[in-house]
Amino acid sequence: MLSKRRKGRWLGIGLFAAVIVAVAMLAPRFVLASGDAERELAQRIRALTGAEVAIGGPVRFSVMPRTRLIADHVEIGPAIGFSVDRIVADLDPVDALFGKATIARIVLIRPEYRPAEAQRDASNPIETGLRPAGPVSPSIEAFNEFERLTRAAITRLDKLQVLEVRDGVWRPTQTGISPNGFSNANFTVARTSDRSAVRVDGSFIWNGQPADLDMSIASTANLEEAGASAVSFSLATPPLSANFDGTLDFGSLRRLDGRFSIAGDSFSRMVGWLASPQMMVPELGSVALNGDMALAGSTLAFGNAALSIAGSTGQGAMEFDLDRRRLSGTLAYPSFDFGPIARAVVPPPTGPFNLRRPIDVAFSDAIDLNIRLSAGEALIGSLPLQDVAAVIGVSDGKATLDVGDASLFGGRTYGRIALINGKVPGLAGHWTGSGIDMGRLVSRLGDTNVQLTGQGQFDAELTADARDWETILSSAELKADLTVHNGIVSGFDPKVFSKAGTQPLMAGLVEGSMPFTRMEVELSGHGPRVAVDALEIKDQSGVLTAHGRVSLTDRWLQLLGSYEEFSLTASAGTPEEFTASQPVNFSLEGLWPNPRVVTRPSRKSSGH
């Protein structure tokens, strides 16, 4: 049996514990019931937003398992234009124990932003800090505003340890970037003290696609005092992934620099997610950019950058002018294929029913781009180029590929192709080459029935309406000149033009060749009809001249010409006198590759 002394001791301990429990249970209730917590909640929201707070619904209190205040139907604005279905505020249990209402965590459930209300109250803006003096570029003003808002947010967070948003919604009332706004925003802003690092992580839906965000700031104290802090963020969404790791500096030289990367499987889906799903741009396939990013003033620069686009990867530097919204840069590629870009801008028809598929040129009004590109090897269609120096430009309704210099089959070539937006979209091109190995060129482009060798030069100009491929093919205007020196036309026997009568051209295509010292061709065309304005093939033994027309639709060929041999024979008894061989006129008509050849002596010859 316990002694009276020991009984008294245990009784004292019990009474003390009862008092402690009573205080722990009643003090928070007293704090909550006194209205201090409700006033603390309104004051905290007011401090966070800088706007008046109206609690329209009931306010409920709880002590166990957490000291918590719940308020429904809270209006924050109209200066901000926010409404929140429910706010849950967790009080610091230690402060509550001593009768003080200190909110450590706030949860905003189904907050909704109504920008129209904020715009109506734009005459009474929220003061967030220092204002710039004098005229400032829009991008610099935006960065200043970002700094003011960031520093104000850090200050207003005060001693709040956690801010959570659940099912947040923003529905803009104006069209523009992300006309659908974002929804299902769920994220947490957390820190351990008012001078510590901050981490933001969560998810949201933007332009119809879910996204996960993770961002951290190493020192909010430094940023609040106009200093620098390490920052990082990562963004992951089906159209793209992006990462940044660097430094944000609010000092005298405001800057954001570090390592940045962004990648996606579809260029058009990336642009659609970042800007607007309604924005139509060419589909260039997978895109990836990584490099040293630096934001200073109105310029966003990427140094030591690697850009992979349309299946090619190059190195260089790029800049984005935030005021002019213009992207420029210089990139070097080991190899580059212009084909995917051309097919994305002007998709080729896959059959006769696709000829009327509209060609969309509107992107050339929405994009401002100038990229200087060099490549050790490049492909334009089926033509392999080397040592290419080119510029890809898009601006003011025009998309242009300008090849300033390139090597092609032993020679040099340059040219320009432009797609122009207008009431009727247009296509224009001009291409020139010299010193070209025509044998390699014709074997890559030409008809295999006839082979051509020699060193040549060409000049071609093309214009066309570009509503669709049917319009291009029917309206194309062509002007082209070709000159070839010291070559051979092989698989072709010129004797087919020197024999009288009618015979198929194939009779001269089996074997044989025609060496020449000079070949000249002048072509002009409208749509599928091409005129051979002049054709001359000359060698030491004779000359062939012709003119006519070709239909590319059905491969119908019609040429009129003459063939005259230069070989001379001596007259009897008079070595000084010679007689020239008789020229032969011919017509060539029919379907390629085997039209009919009709030959006859010239009138001049028959008159002797």
Side-chain angles (χ1 to χ4, degrees):
M1 210 175 164
L2 295 175
S3 65
K4 292 183 178 180
R5 191 174 206 178
R6 294 181 66 187
K7 287 182 178 179
R9 182 186 303 168
W10 283 109
L11 180 60
I13 292 173
L15 290 173
F16 179 76
V19 170
I20 293 298
V21 171
V23 169
M25 296 292 292
L26 296 176
R29 290 186 178 274
F30 175 77
V31 170
L32 295 171
S34 66
D36 288 346
E38 184 176 343
R39 285 190 294 272
E40 169 70 10
L41 175 62
Q43 181 179 349
R44 176 67 67 179
I45 299 300
R46 191 179 302 112
L48 283 171
T49 62
E52 292 300 320
V53 178
I55 301 176
V59 178
R60 299 184 300 279
F61 316 110
S62 66
V63 176
M64 298 298 291
R66 293 182 179 180
T67 308
R68 174 171 291 177
L69 182 147
I70 302 173
D72 291 337
H73 308 308
V74 180
E75 293 287 337
I76 306 171
I80 295 297
F82 268 108
S83 65
V84 186
D85 280 2
R86 174 171 293 178
I87 295 180
V88 178
D90 289 343
L91 277 69
D92 187 305
V94 177
D95 286 350
L97 184 63
F98 292 97
K100 182 180 179 182
T102 302
I103 295 177
R105 173 176 173 266
I106 291 179
V107 181
L108 307 180
I109 300 175
R110 290 182 295 278
E112 183 175 355
Y113 178 44
R114 301 186 299 276
E117 295 191 10
Q119 291 165 7
R120 283 197 296 268
D121 199 60
S123 60
N124 184 27
I126 305 166
E127 185 58 42
T128 57
L130 298 175
R131 296 286 172 180
V136 183
S137 76
S139 59
I140 294 178
E141 169 59 18
F143 194 88
N144 291 343
E145 185 66 16
F146 167 71
E147 178 189 352
R148 288 192 295 271
L149 291 173
T150 301
R151 293 172 65 182
I154 293 171
T155 301
R156 287 171 173 173
L157 282 173
D158 195 17
K159 295 182 179 181
L160 186 67
Q161 295 177 6
V162 178
L163 172 65
E164 293 185 27
V165 173
R166 298 179 185 174
D167 296 329
V169 176
W170 170 52
R171 300 294 187 194
T173 57
Q174 296 180 340
T175 58
I177 292 182
S178 185
N180 299 320
F182 65 75
S183 60
N184 292 74
N186 297 276
F187 60 85
T188 301
V189 182
R191 63 179 180 176
T192 57
S193 72
D194 59 342
R195 310 293 284 183
S196 74
V198 168
R199 181 179 179 186
V200 181
D201 69 281
S203 62
F204 57 92
I205 291 179
W206 175 269
N207 279 331
Q209 295 285 350
D212 295 322
L213 174 68
D214 192 337
M215 181 176 68
S216 65
I217 302 174
S219 176
T220 57
N222 287 351
L223 295 180
E224 188 177 5
E225 295 169 1
S229 171
V231 297
S232 66
F233 83 83
S234 65
L235 177 69
T237 183
L240 63 91
S241 61
N243 294 274
F244 175 81
D245 193 352
T247 301
L248 176 62
D249 191 348
F250 285 159
S252 57
L253 298 176
R254 299 181 184 89
R255 63 186 178 88
L256 174 67
D257 56 38
R259 193 69 183 174
F260 174 79
S261 65
I262 184 170
D265 293 332
S266 166
F267 177 74
S268 62
R269 288 202 299 135
M270 283 179 63
V271 173
W273 188 84
L274 289 169
S276 169
Q278 284 73 43
M279 186 175 182
M280 303 301 295
V281 296
E283 178 52 82
L284 302 179
S286 62
V287 177
L289 169 66
N290 64 80
D292 298 329
M293 190 190 83
L295 172 61
S298 61
T299 301
L300 180 62
F302 297 93
N304 298 318
L307 176 65
S308 297
I309 189 168
S312 303
T313 301
Q315 306 283 332
M318 302 176 70
E319 287 188 356
F320 184 68
D321 188 317
L322 297 171
D323 288 341
R324 298 173 61 187
R325 298 185 180 276
R326 186 171 193 262
L327 179 65
S328 59
T330 301
L331 295 167
Y333 287 82
S335 63
F336 193 89
D337 187 355
F338 290 96
I341 296 178
R343 291 190 292 271
V345 174
V346 186
T350 57
F353 298 106
N354 294 119
L355 288 173
R356 293 189 178 182
R357 176 185 176 184
I359 296 174
D360 190 353
V361 197
F363 73 92
S364 60
D365 285 311
I367 297 175
D368 193 349
L369 177 146
N370 185 274
I371 299 296
R372 296 178 297 279
L373 182 148
S374 63
E377 297 178 347
L379 275 176
I380 296 183
S382 61
L383 293 180
L385 307 180
Q386 293 81 38
D387 304 324
V388 179
V391 176
I392 298 176
V394 181
S395 66
D396 300 326
K398 183 183 293 186
T400 305
L401 170 62
D402 194 338
V403 177
D405 185 42
S407 173
L408 172 64
F409 296 135
R412 310 303 299 180
T413 186
Y414 62 91
R416 192 168 192 261
I417 302 172
L419 189 63
I420 306 161
N421 195 17
K423 185 175 292 185
V424 177
L427 179 67
H430 182 215
W431 213 269
T432 298
S434 61
I436 309 297
D437 184 338
M438 299 306 298
R440 296 166 66 188
L441 179 62
V442 171
S443 66
R444 184 61 67 99
L445 298 178
D447 194 311
T448 58
N449 291 294
V450 176
Q451 293 296 317
L452 174 68
T453 65
Q455 190 177 76
Q457 61 190 48
F458 63 85
D459 186 86
E461 188 171 350
L462 174 71
T463 59
D465 294 339
R467 274 196 200 91
D468 48 44
W469 272 103
E470 184 179 64
T471 307
I472 293 176
L473 296 175
S474 62
S475 68
E477 297 282 349
L478 171 69
K479 185 71 176 176
D481 301 317
L482 171 67
T483 302
V484 186
H485 300 277
N486 301 319
I488 299 175
V489 180
S490 57
F492 169 82
D493 188 350
K495 292 180 181 179
V496 73
F497 295 111
S498 61
K499 297 178 181 178
T502 301
Q503 55 188 319
L505 181 64
M506 288 297 291
L509 292 178
V510 178
E511 293 180 355
S513 63
M514 181 179 180
F516 61 86
T517 57
R518 183 180 180 88
M519 172 189 286
E520 294 186 29
V521 183
E522 296 180 7
L523 304 174
S524 61
H526 179 80
R529 298 176 299 278
V530 177
V532 182
D533 298 320
L535 168 63
E536 182 179 281
I537 304 175
K538 182 186 296 184
D539 69 355
Q540 295 177 351
S541 62
V543 59
L544 184 150
T545 59
H547 65 278
R549 56 192 176 89
V550 179
S551 173
L552 301 178
T553 305
D554 52 15
R555 300 179 63 141
W556 182 266
L557 174 69
Q558 185 182 54
L559 291 178
L560 297 175
S562 66
Y563 178 73
E564 181 177 1
E565 292 184 353
F566 291 155
S567 59
L568 302 177
T569 58
S571 299
T574 311
E576 293 81 6
E577 296 180 4
F578 295 86
T579 58
S581 62
Q582 295 180 354
V584 177
N585 292 335
F586 68 85
S587 65
L588 184 66
E589 185 173 358
L591 292 175
W592 183 261
N594 196 26
R596 299 185 311 277
V597 180
V598 179
T599 58
R600 61 186 183 279
S602 66
R603 292 179 181 178
K604 178 180 177 181
S605 302
S606 60
H608 281 288

